[in-house]
């Protein structure tokens, strides 16, 4: 059953294809309740909040972070509070986990640089501690305090919880390409069970994990850290979060980099279909490379990508009928669902292609599914003891709140399947059915598609990769066209996101903006 991001390391972000939607958008109004307006649509722009802080929020904005050791060398941590419901600030708090690594010098300190790896549901604290705080360019880390906030409902910030590990194992193996009425019912039942578990275990949080609320939380943390403006690098879904912040607080937006951009004006159906096409594009790039290698199981040199795709799809069909062993300690076998997830996981970064070739060789020629299972487990953030992070739970919770469901019934999905298959012969059918899960969510959506203009914001750098599987390049162009101060930076390459992937042209352009405030020329292209 289909999810979201990938096996790649925490270096980059990921938009989750989700057992919910694949991508999300936020409220069209300043308050969370404004999103319920029946007239909300993509012709409406996200409205900025008042410049002055409401009296009811003053206690939150007056907080000071009390730092303590995280147990991670060089980092310190703190907990700050935000209102559970911004429309009713007296109704209780949400505790937000914050981590930072102070600027190392030399050079004048430029303030805090907030980072978010995407998701929704990715841990920003984990990301800053495992990658950004130690792996960003030394010049950037010298001048900025590297800061991360786990979004509400995520990881250390009052995480949304749904299924336990054993039930998640069952959920991730559910057949997402049903062949008959019985299998369709099983898939729908799996979505319902997941949703009901989320409602049972996380009822307090489920109505209050929207992207608008998370963006407002970031502003509280900004104030607590003493920064006049928010400087930020967000990847994938993190671009939507950053753009939302700019839309709500254009006057407080500093140097914002939105890498692997999303388009908030699209409804869930279009987002899912666009991303499906994006994964097909990525697969074609992989297939072209694969058939050049002597160990490619999808065809010899010169085999067309379409033929390689048909061979892979035929393999998936075999697994649907006859799963293969993996040697897993918990007895899991590799069926179509986990195999598809494993392949999609490797589409995010071309550095994973060799690993995928090896895994496919073992599965297709030796009936050993261990390699593909490793990729799928990494994608789902499942550890060796059978425990899952809350990524999948938070991903569904945010996505299902941020946008109305793509489809409301199996009958609607069946009608849409041909369009998804056309977008991706390899992945389309499964991704069409993955679009159904929010139909059964226990709380209604608060968001609608809308534009984000952020009039009055400082220059915002929007980055798009031309063959990005998870956030198609057209989304970056669309977001750049909406944001009044955007500068579009294009990376002509494969893989998800661009910054920090070794391209000197991209990295130097972003570094110059972060360090000197000099944005790239709009339309700059790197390859």
């Amino acid at each position: 059953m289909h999810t979201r991001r990938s096996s790649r390391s925490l270096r980059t972000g990921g938009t989750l294809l989700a057992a919910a939607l694949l991508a999300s958008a936020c409220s069209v109004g300043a308050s969370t309740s404004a999103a319920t307006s029946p007239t909300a649509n993509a012709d409406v722009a996200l409205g900025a909040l008042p410049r002055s802080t409401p009296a009811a929020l003053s206690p939150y904005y007056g907080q000071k972070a009390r730092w303590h050791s995280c147990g991670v060398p060089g980092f310190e941590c703190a907990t700050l509070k935000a209102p559970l419901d911004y429309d009713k600030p007296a109704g209780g708090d949400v505790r937000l986990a914050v981590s930072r690594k102070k600027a190392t010098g030399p050079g004048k300190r430029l303030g805090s640089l907030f980072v978010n790896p995407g998701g929704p549901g990715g841990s920003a604290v984990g990301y800053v501690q495992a990658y950004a705080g130690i792996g960003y360019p030394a010049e950037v880390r010298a001048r900025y305090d590297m800061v991360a906030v786990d979004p509400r409902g995520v990881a250390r910030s009052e995480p949304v919880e749904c299924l336990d590990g054993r039930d998640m194992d069952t959920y991730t193996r559910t057949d997402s390409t049903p062949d008959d009425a019985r299998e369709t019912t099983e898939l729908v039942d799996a979505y319902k069970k997941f949703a009901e578990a989320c409602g049972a275990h996380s009822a307090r949080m489920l109505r209050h994990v929207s992207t608008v609320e998370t963006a407002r939380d970031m502003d509280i943390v900004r104030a607590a850290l003493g920064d006049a403006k928010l400087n930020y690098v967000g990847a994938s879904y993190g671009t939507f979060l950053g753009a939302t912040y700019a839309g709500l607080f254009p006057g407080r937006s500093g140097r914002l980099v939105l890498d692997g951009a999303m388009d908030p004006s699209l409804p869930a159906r279009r987002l899912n279909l666009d991303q499906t096409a994006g994964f097909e594009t990525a697969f074609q790039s992989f297939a072209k490379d694969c058939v050049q290698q002597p160990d490619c199981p999808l065809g010899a040199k010169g085999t067309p990508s379409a033929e390689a795709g048909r061979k892979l799809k035929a393999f998936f069909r075999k697994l649907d009928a006859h799963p293969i062993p993996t040697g897993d300690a918990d007895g899991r076998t590799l069926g179509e669902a986990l195999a598809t997830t494993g392949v999609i996981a490797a589409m995010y970064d071309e550095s994973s292609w060799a690993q995928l070739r090896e895994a496919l060789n073992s599965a297709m020629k030796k009936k050993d599914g261990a390699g593909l299972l490793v990729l799928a487990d990494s994608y789902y953030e499942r550890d060796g003891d059978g425990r899952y992070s809350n990524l999948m739970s938070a991903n569904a919770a945010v996505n299902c709140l941020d946008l109305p469901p793509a489809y409301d019934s199996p009958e609607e999905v069946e009608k849409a399947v041909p369009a998804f298959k056309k977008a991706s012969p390899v992945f389309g059918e499964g991704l069409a059915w993955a679009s159904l899960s929010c139909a059964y969510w226990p709380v209604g959506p608060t968001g609608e598609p809308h534009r984000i203009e952020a009039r009055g914001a400082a220059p915002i750098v929007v980055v798009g990769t031309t063959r990005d599987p998870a956030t198609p390049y057209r989304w970056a162009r669309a977001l750049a066209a909406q944001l009044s101060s955007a500068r579009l930076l294009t990376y002509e390459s494969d893989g998800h996101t661009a910054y920090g992937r070794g391209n000197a042209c991209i990295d130097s352009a972003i570094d110059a903006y972060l360090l000197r405030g000099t944005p790239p020329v709009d339309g700059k292209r790197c390859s």
Side-chain angles (χ1 to χ4, degrees):
M1 121 170 356
H2 247 282
T3 45
R4 42 80 147 166
R5 86 169 177 177
S6 97
S7 67
R8 79 229 167 289
S9 72
L10 281 171
R11 180 180 57 74
T12 58
T15 296
L16 314 188
L17 260 174
L21 309 175
L22 78 155
S24 59
C26 68
S27 153
V28 298
S31 73
T32 55
S33 60
T36 62
S37 167
T39 61
N41 56 58
D43 293 327
V44 178
L46 180 67
L49 289 166
R51 291 178 178 270
S52 60
T53 300
L57 296 181
S58 294
Y60 297 102
Y61 275 87
Q63 297 176 92
K64 299 297 179 184
R66 298 181 179 179
W67 297 104
H68 56 82
S69 172
C70 296
V72 180
F75 291 88
E76 52 190 0
C77 291
T79 301
L80 294 170
K81 293 180 180 180
L84 175 67
D85 185 345
Y86 276 91
D87 292 335
K88 301 176 182 177
D93 299 331
V94 171
R95 296 181 300 276
L96 303 173
V98 185
S99 184
R100 77 173 177 185
K101 185 177 184 183
K102 298 189 74 172
T104 57
K108 181 182 178 181
R109 181 179 172 277
L110 296 174
S112 303
L113 180 63
F114 286 65
V115 294
N116 183 282
S123 171
V125 170
Y127 175 70
V128 78
Q129 292 177 354
Y131 173 67
I134 56 177
Y136 265 37
E139 297 87 345
V140 173
R141 291 183 285 113
R143 305 284 298 282
Y144 284 101
D145 293 345
M146 301 295 297
V147 173
V149 186
D150 273 348
R152 55 172 60 205
V154 173
R156 300 162 180 84
S157 293
E158 302 202 25
V160 170
E161 300 291 352
C162 300
L163 300 174
D164 62 20
R166 186 175 297 276
D167 284 339
M168 277 297 295
D169 281 348
T170 300
Y171 184 65
T172 59
R173 296 200 303 271
T174 303
D175 185 355
S176 58
T177 57
D179 299 317
D180 53 36
R182 178 185 60 81
E183 290 186 351
T184 299
T185 298
E186 289 176 354
L187 179 59
V188 168
D189 287 347
Y191 287 147
K192 288 180 178 178
K193 181 177 180 179
F194 184 91
E196 289 166 359
C198 296
H201 298 305
S202 300
R204 177 177 180 267
M205 292 298 297
L206 283 193
R207 296 182 188 277
H208 297 290
V209 291
S210 70
T211 299
V212 163
E213 290 163 309
T214 294
R216 298 187 72 171
D217 294 345
M218 284 205 304
D219 197 53
I220 287 175
V221 178
R222 172 204 59 77
L225 299 187
D227 289 285
K229 294 192 175 185
L230 183 91
N231 301 308
Y232 175 87
V233 178
S236 197
Y237 164 80
T239 68
F240 176 51
L241 177 58
T244 299
Y245 181 91
L248 295 173
F249 305 104
R252 299 175 192 168
S253 298
R255 299 171 187 178
L256 270 58
V257 177
L258 310 180
D259 182 13
M262 291 180 58
D263 179 0
S265 72
L266 298 179
R269 294 185 185 192
R270 175 64 184 275
L271 288 167
N272 281 294
L273 195 58
D274 280 359
Q275 197 178 48
T276 298
F279 277 102
E280 182 66 22
T281 297
F283 174 75
Q284 290 176 7
S285 292
F286 163 74
K288 289 176 183 177
D289 177 78
C290 182
V291 299
Q292 301 298 316
Q293 315 302 324
D295 61 341
C296 180
L298 301 179
K301 188 174 183 179
T303 300
S305 298
E307 178 58 32
R310 284 190 288 271
K311 190 167 185 177
L312 180 61
K313 187 64 178 175
F315 173 62
F316 288 160
R317 284 196 293 269
K318 289 181 181 178
L319 292 177
D320 188 26
H322 303 289
I324 60 176
T326 64
D328 176 61
D330 295 314
R332 291 178 300 157
T333 56
L334 185 80
E336 180 182 15
L338 284 175
T340 304
T341 299
V343 173
I344 281 182
M347 294 298 99
Y348 283 79
D349 193 331
E350 61 269 34
S351 67
S352 299
W353 289 357
Q355 181 184 0
L356 177 58
R357 277 201 320 275
E358 181 179 352
L360 285 173
N361 259 312
S362 294
M364 297 174 75
K365 296 180 179 179
K366 303 175 185 177
K367 294 188 177 181
D368 177 3
L372 285 174
L373 184 64
V374 166
L375 285 166
D377 282 351
S378 182
Y379 183 89
Y380 286 123
E381 294 192 359
R382 181 193 191 272
D383 67 21
D385 294 324
R387 295 186 298 260
Y388 289 75
S389 77
N390 96 305
L391 173 62
M392 297 304 302
S393 301
N395 175 252
V398 176
N399 280 332
C400 294
L401 200 61
D402 271 352
L403 276 184
Y407 300 102
D408 292 320
S409 69
E411 292 75 20
E412 288 187 4
V413 175
E414 288 172 352
K415 291 177 182 178
V417 163
F420 277 79
K421 283 185 173 181
K422 182 177 180 180
S424 175
V426 178
F427 308 117
E429 184 178 4
L431 299 188
W433 283 102
S435 304
L436 179 61
S437 61
C438 281
Y440 309 105
W441 202 242
V443 300
T446 59
E448 290 280 356
H450 61 279
R451 299 189 325 279
I452 300 178
E453 297 174 354
R455 295 191 179 277
I460 298 173
V461 177
V462 176
V463 189
T465 300
T466 53
R467 295 183 295 280
D468 190 316
T471 52
Y473 179 61
R474 67 172 65 180
W475 293 358
R477 289 188 300 177
L479 181 61
Q482 293 169 43
L483 293 168
S484 60
S485 61
R487 307 290 178 88
L488 179 62
L489 175 63
T490 297
Y491 183 32
E492 296 176 344
S493 186
D494 298 292
H496 185 41
T497 72
Y499 186 46
R501 293 183 59 209
N503 183 271
C505 174
I506 290 288
D507 292 352
S508 62
I510 293 175
D511 291 346
Y513 174 58
L514 292 175
L515 295 170
R516 296 186 290 278
T518 306
V521 175
D522 186 35
K524 179 179 176 65
R525 302 182 76 88
C526 299
S527 60

